[in-house]
Amino acid sequence: MFVSTATITTKRASIYLQQLCKHFGHKVEVRFDPVSGDIALTFGHCALSATPDNLFLTVSAETQAGQMKTSRVIASHLERFAFRENPNITWHHKTAA
């Protein structure tokens, strides 16, 4: 399993979490509430959690290609939704056992 994590500092974490989940919910299976969410893409999975000051993203996939694609897709959508804040999304990659 390949895993990437990112933390985005923002006061709008819950709003972005819900916006991402609602957007992808038109195409794939999602589950979310104001503080946590899951997006099941065909090539990977994204778990989201929100605190008052941070949005935490954890991407996982069976392949490294899936991990990279999932990270790019989630980041590109978040960047569009949060364009006023111009978020700094830095992924930390690792391989899980």
Side-chain angles (χ1 to χ4, degrees):
M1 183 69 69
F2 294 87
V3 178
S4 298
T5 59
T7 301
I8 296 87
T9 301
T10 177
K11 298 288 186 190
R12 298 176 55 87
S14 178
I15 292 167
Y16 295 143
L17 179 154
Q18 293 176 74
Q19 196 171 12
L20 282 165
C21 290
K22 286 176 186 176
H23 173 78
F24 285 107
H26 296 287
K27 301 170 188 165
V28 299
E29 183 178 339
V30 300
R31 180 204 59 77
F32 70 97
D33 59 39
V35 296
S36 66
D38 288 293
I39 302 170
L41 301 170
T42 57
F43 40 84
H45 174 265
C46 182
L48 308 90
S49 63
T51 65
D53 297 318
N54 293 293
L55 176 61
F56 300 99
L57 307 172
T58 301
V59 163
S60 59
E62 293 295 323
T63 66
Q64 188 172 19
Q67 170 201 31
M68 299 306 286
K69 185 173 182 178
T70 305
S71 298
R72 280 193 310 272
V73 167
I74 296 296
S76 70
H77 283 78
L78 179 57
E79 287 166 350
R80 275 187 263 153
F81 296 148
F83 70 93
R84 287 181 187 91
E85 292 188 57
N86 193 22
N88 179 19
I89 304 169
T90 303
W91 292 102
H92 304 280
H93 306 289
K94 59 185 174 181
T95 304

